[in-house]
Amino acid sequence: MPRFSANLGFLWTDRPLLDRIAAAASAGFKAVELHWPYDVPAGLVKQACEKHGVELLGINTPVGDAAKGDFGLGALPGRQSDFAKSFHQAAAYARQSGASSVHVMAGVVEPEAKPEATEVFARNLAFAAAAAPDLTLLLEPINQRDKPGYFYSTIAEAAALIERVRAPNIRIMFDVYHVGVSEGDILTRLERNLPMIGHVQIAAVPSRAEPDEGEIAYGAIFAALDRLGYAGWVGCEYRPRAGTDEGLRWMKTLQVSL
């Protein structure tokens, strides 16, 4: 049975971050993952995780200037120095908080800039991998419905970058929700890319709610992860239909446990 982590970017958002860590532990989670925790000192996050006995898996790189439309900097031509600063910030925070991985966000790119952006992202990833060999760098394609213009939306694009950069600490973040919206054929893509996968995330398609509704048969996904020998965590990155605690009934519905 997969091991489930609580994504505190979406779960228990009615309370401060440190209280979310406590809530996740109280619900039975043994691991958590964060989005952008930078307004809370890393040392306090580490203390909270240690106090409540949960492992901190990962964080995202800063988005950049959200007011100007930034949603990551990794693939933005002309913003290499901004990316380097943001990555150093993320890596330092990860080390100080106890996180083991960083999702390197690519950003929104105009279609005509895609070839140049691909070169930029590859060089930035090579730099980041060398700068933080102690951390796992995760690449997550994001579907175009949720984030129009995001640099990439397919698992094949992430895999091509990994094969090009050839750094041992770069892996795929296989978000079943994004794969389902963008491409489908989830089980085939999961099996084909398993050697490159560093983390898995889940949510219902198309609603992004708890994974007990919609198009994806998550019982089959979990069985495939077991059959394939996936030993990592499965991040619960869904938007609860109502309260987070009430929504955890999905585990009983799907006959899984923490």
Side-chain angles (χ1 to χ4, degrees), residues 210 239-247:
E210 287 89 345
R239 300 183 187 276
R241 292 180 289 259
T244 300
D245 288 300
E246 300 93 311

Side-chain angles (χ1 to χ4, degrees), residues 4-8 11-12 15-34 45 47-56 233 244-245 248 251 258:
F4 296 98
S5 63
N7 189 295
L8 301 184
L11 304 184
W12 293 286
R15 61 198 75 183
L17 177 57
L18 299 182
D19 291 345
R20 293 182 220 171
I21 294 171
S26 180
F29 285 98
K30 302 301 182 186
V32 297
E33 53 201 67
L34 311 177
V45 171
Q47 289 174 16
C49 289
E50 291 176 345
K51 175 182 177 181
H52 297 290
V54 297
E55 180 180 348
L56 176 56
W233 294 89
T244 300
D245 288 300
L248 291 174
M251 293 188 176
L258 293 173

